[in-house]
Amino acid sequence: MEIDPRRLRVLREVARRGGVLRAAQALHLTSSAVSQQLAQLEREVGLPLIDRSQRSVSLTPAGRVLAGYAERVEEELTEAKRELTRFTERLAGPVRIAAFPTAISHLLVPAMRGLARRHPKIAPAIREIYGPPALQELRLGSVDLLITEQDMGLPVLAQPSLTSRLLYVDAYRIVVPPSWSDPPSTVEELLQRPWVAADPGQACGQALDRLAGLHGIEPQKPHVIGEWGPALALVAAGHGVAIVPELALLDVPEGEVRVSDIRGIGARRLDVVTRASRRRSGEPDPVQAVVIEAIEEVTKELAATLRSRISDPADEEAADRA
């Protein structure tokens, strides 16, 4: 019995993704090509691996057993590739990174410039994906590391299969339309105004809901916007107020919005998350380690820039209290 490990990878993705279509998308193949690979694998082992009697594709008992071995084979091959990096003069290989827009613009782009100079054979690939879908892709192995955000007022949930390290604490600011000659001076007054709100799954959306709950006020949310560019444009045009992280203010022209003096709003935490190391040595993947190091270096430089351009000591005290 000869089994092609490339077909084992196809079976593994079908098992992990729960269907042929999703496996095809993950493998960048057509559904027909995946089905053909599965059929050939069944001929190689002489057993049915896919139950085709139902509308949705599922694995037979034999298919589930072989998929378990396929997972182990993939882990061993990945480990072998990592170990071989010890015999090369330079680190090399792809690193797939997932992040949200502000992290891509202000952290990943400058980090990739420095990484290209020091490790030109490392090939970063960046995807704009965040939240639960990004965590799922990390667990499935479609991305190698991701940058997450979360309101610091919420507890950090344990992720047994993942490793997380704090990257940056990004203070919140409240922005109001520049046309308001007498803007509100308290959170209670602001909560009475219309809001350009972030999605509840985003850190700033979580922050607004937290503030509203603390003050017992249900804010008006005529606008719910996921990207900072459109959200700030709505604020600039006078359509409401918004909570934004300081990173989002780096690209805003001076005078386009008015930054409120209200303090004590809190901050969001940015984390770098990877899968827990399965290396026999227990050490992290060396390629991923230098990528994370490059991101951390840029973050430290950016923190200094923000302190000089946006933050003041009162802001830092507010973030510490949050």
Side-chain angles (χ1 to χ4, degrees):
M1 180 188 299
E2 293 290 336
I3 300 177
D4 189 330
R6 292 171 296 181
R7 296 191 180 101
L8 283 180
R9 179 172 292 174
V10 173
L11 179 66
R12 169 180 173 264
E13 285 299 330
V14 172
R16 300 178 86 195
R17 303 278 175 172
V20 169
L21 180 59
R22 290 179 180 176
Q25 292 171 340
L27 294 167
H28 305 289
L29 297 172
T30 64
S31 297
S32 175
V34 169
S35 296
Q36 291 173 18
Q37 292 290 315
L38 292 173
Q40 182 61 34
L41 184 59
E42 288 178 319
R43 287 192 287 271
E44 289 174 351
V45 301
L47 291 167
L49 303 174
I50 304 296
D51 184 355
R52 299 177 176 84
S53 64
Q54 303 178 27
R55 178 173 295 181
S56 59
V57 172
S58 61
L59 272 60
T60 65
R64 290 194 292 273
V65 168
L66 189 57
Y69 281 101
E71 186 72 35
R72 279 183 254 173
V73 168
E74 187 68 22
E75 289 176 1
E76 289 296 322
L77 288 173
T78 301
E79 176 70 8
K81 293 175 184 177
R82 289 169 177 167
E83 289 296 323
L84 288 173
T85 60
R86 295 189 297 112
F87 300 96
T88 61
E89 293 183 0
R90 293 183 177 181
L91 295 175
V95 177
R96 300 159 299 179
I97 309 169
F100 48 92
T102 50
I104 292 172
S105 298
H106 298 294
L107 302 181
L108 293 185
V109 170
M112 295 310 99
R113 285 196 292 265
L115 192 68
R117 291 192 298 270
R118 293 191 294 268
H119 301 284
K121 292 187 177 182
I122 292 179
I126 299 172
R127 291 181 60 187
E128 183 187 330
I129 179 172
Y130 44 89
L135 288 168
Q136 178 69 0
E137 292 300 302
L138 180 64
R139 291 191 180 95
L140 291 175
S142 297
V143 297
D144 300 307
L145 63 92
L146 63 92
I147 298 178
T148 64
E149 63 153 15
Q150 180 182 303
D151 179 50
M152 291 196 71
L154 298 177
V156 178
L157 299 179
Q159 305 279 356
S161 62
L162 305 177
T163 300
S164 178
R165 55 198 293 176
L166 179 63
L167 180 65
Y168 183 62
V169 176
D170 193 10
Y172 296 134
R173 304 301 298 262
I174 290 180
V175 292
V176 301
S179 58
W180 289 6
S181 57
D182 186 23
S185 58
T186 66
V187 172
E188 292 87 343
E189 292 175 354
L190 277 171
L191 289 171
Q192 306 292 341
R193 300 294 183 97
W195 281 80
V196 180
D199 186 275
Q202 293 178 288
C204 288
Q206 296 163 354
L208 177 56
D209 290 341
R210 170 172 53 80
L211 288 175
L214 286 173
H215 294 277
I217 300 173
E218 184 66 30
Q220 307 170 49
K221 300 180 182 179
H223 314 288
V224 179
I225 308 296
E227 300 292 335
W228 297 125
L232 290 165
L234 283 167
V235 174
H239 295 291
V241 300
I243 295 175
V244 300
E246 288 188 340
L247 278 181
L249 294 175
L250 285 174
D251 298 324
V252 180
E254 185 175 355
E256 183 170 304
V257 295
R258 184 170 181 175
V259 180
S260 171
D261 292 330
I262 294 175
R263 302 291 188 259
I265 305 303
R268 65 174 180 173
R269 59 178 292 149
L270 307 187
D271 292 271
V272 177
V273 185
T274 59
R275 292 187 299 281
S277 176
R278 296 182 179 178
R279 307 185 79 207
R280 293 185 181 92
S281 64
E283 297 177 355
D285 177 279
V287 174
Q288 293 179 23
V290 298
V291 173
I292 293 172
E293 181 182 351
I295 296 171
E296 289 177 334
E297 288 178 1
V298 166
T299 302
K300 290 177 182 178
E301 295 172 0
L302 184 63
T305 300
L306 282 168
R307 280 194 297 270
S308 63
R309 290 182 52 184
I310 299 175
S311 299
D312 58 31
D315 294 331
E316 295 174 8
E317 291 175 7
D320 291 338
R321 291 195 302 270

